[in-house]
Amino acid sequence: MKKRLALLLAGAMVLSAALTGCGAAKTDDTQKTDDKTAAATDTAAAGATPTLDAIKQKGEIIMLTNAQFPPFEYLGDDGTVKGVDPDLAQAVADKLGVKLKVVDMDFNGIVSALKSGKGDFAAAGMTVTEERKKEVDFTDEYVTSSQMVVVPAGSTLTAEDAALSGKNIAVQEGTTGDWYASGDTENTGSTIKDANVLRYKSGVEAGMMLAQGKADAIIIDQKPAEAIVASQNGKLTLLDKKLTDEKYAFAVQKGQDDLRDFINGVLAEYKDGKVDELITQHMGIK
Ligand code: ARG
């Protein structure tokens, strides 16, 4: 795991189904609506899959992620991105018969990169939030998680919002942990006040800063919290309290329902503990 951590740190078209009213004789509004409905029905009946067709045409599907979030994504010893999300994404690519390309970037930039078409979907242990739903569409949820608090071993700090108020809290920038530490009540229910939020490019880095005594706590998702604690050889402690209830999903560009549905079909095959098996497998880090 240490080696992996070092690596982790080192690495740091819309074909909208133009369902516009295309009937020739539009005499009134009612007629227009009928035409639209008819066109939509025709297209659906023909099984139109514009996004999937374009991906097959390219022969490649691009996943956007931030590989600093074990066990969901991390850099393997060979420098490639490994984890639960790449495994699921590979299953999507295999089923489509195309190659998977993984693009590793700052977590904070993933939503806008997806919106501007730099990738076909995001798979990044990303929590479904109302805020993000304004920007992208989410697939079905495949993981349940919570924000948790990690403190230096021996610290008397508790995971109560009142106790965390005014403290130095390390987070990964742009994550729900960042929002929580920042006291974003609307999106996270947090009532933390005036914390000094130290924003890092990765949760792993935040964990190292904590181990070095540069912060009082980190707020981060449960499994990454466990992985970070395990990697710091007894220097850190994970507190029990769950600050939030969150669900992860893949994200696609708005309106790309064919791609979203296709991914949902693959995720459905991973129900009944199969995702948990992947999590266990990728937590078994050296
Ligand atoms: N679940 C949190 C969120 O959606 C953190 C995700 C961080 N993911 C990553 N690959 N770094 O904000």
Side-chain angles (χ1 to χ4, degrees):
M1 181 67 190
K2 265 205 167 147
K3 198 168 162 201
R4 179 151 293 145
L5 273 173
L7 275 163
L8 275 168
L9 282 168
M13 174 177 18
V14 186
L15 287 182
S16 65
L19 301 179
T20 44
C22 48
K26 286 170 195 154
T27 48
D28 56 34
D29 282 354
T30 319
Q31 179 68 38
K32 264 185 210 161
T33 311
D34 284 354
D35 284 351
K36 263 192 195 173
T37 312
T41 311
D42 285 355
T43 318
T49 52
T51 318
L52 293 173
D53 293 349
I55 291 167
K56 284 187 196 151
Q57 194 76 33
K58 283 190 300 176
E60 175 180 86
I61 190 164
I62 303 175
M63 157 177 160
L64 302 176
T65 197
N66 165 260
Q68 302 281 336
F69 201 66
F72 297 98
E73 37 269 332
Y74 54 91
L75 290 177
D77 291 343
D78 62 358
T80 65
V81 181
K82 309 255 189 254
V84 176
D85 289 330
D87 285 354
L88 295 171
Q90 188 61 55
V92 171
D94 289 348
K95 200 167 179 184
L96 263 174
V98 298
K99 274 182 55 185
L100 173 68
K101 180 175 169 188
V102 179
V103 175
D104 183 15
M105 56 188 300
D106 285 351
F107 182 78
N108 213 14
I110 293 178
V111 167
S112 61
L114 179 62
K115 281 181 75 176
S116 63
K118 296 207 172 79
D120 298 299
F121 65 95
M126 188 181 283
T127 302
V128 177
T129 70
E130 292 307 316
E131 202 65 24
R132 290 175 183 154
K133 276 195 205 165
K134 292 178 197 157
E135 315 283 328
V136 292
D137 284 346
F138 282 103
T139 63
D140 291 342
E141 295 154 349
Y142 64 102
V143 166
T144 302
S145 184
S146 305
Q147 293 305 307
M148 309 278 287
V149 180
V150 179
V151 296
S155 164
T156 54
L157 192 61
T158 64
E160 302 304 322
D161 286 5
L164 294 165
S165 292
K167 295 290 186 300
N168 298 311
I169 307 178
V171 298
Q172 182 179 20
E173 188 172 21
T175 61
T176 45
D178 181 356
W179 302 357
Y180 197 97
S182 307
D184 180 342
T185 312
E186 199 181 314
N187 285 294
T188 66
S190 166
T191 57
I192 291 180
K193 299 228 164 19
D194 304 321
N196 177 29
V197 183
L198 308 165
R199 298 184 175 85
Y200 296 98
K201 292 284 177 211
S202 86
V204 175
E205 197 180 342
M208 292 192 148
M209 291 303 147
L210 186 63
Q212 290 170 21
K214 300 206 168 105
D216 300 308
I218 55 177
I219 297 182
I220 190 166
D221 303 51
Q222 181 163 9
K223 290 292 166 191
E226 289 172 15
I228 288 166
V229 168
S231 74
Q232 292 293 328
N233 300 322
K235 285 196 196 145
L236 303 178
T237 306
L238 174 62
L239 302 181
D240 288 337
K241 189 179 156 77
K242 295 183 171 167
L243 303 179
T244 58
D245 292 312
E246 303 185 13
K247 300 261 201 296
Y248 297 166
F250 284 16
V252 299
Q253 284 184 43
K254 274 206 169 294
Q256 297 195 337
D257 295 1
D258 58 336
L259 175 58
R260 185 202 56 201
D261 294 349
F262 189 87
I263 295 173
N264 282 342
V266 173
L267 292 177
E269 293 169 18
Y270 281 82
K271 292 251 156 73
D272 304 325
K274 289 221 180 73
V275 171
D276 288 336
E277 276 171 32
L278 289 178
I279 291 175
T280 309
Q281 193 181 311
H282 288 287
M283 285 294 280
I285 22 193
K286 306 153 238 171

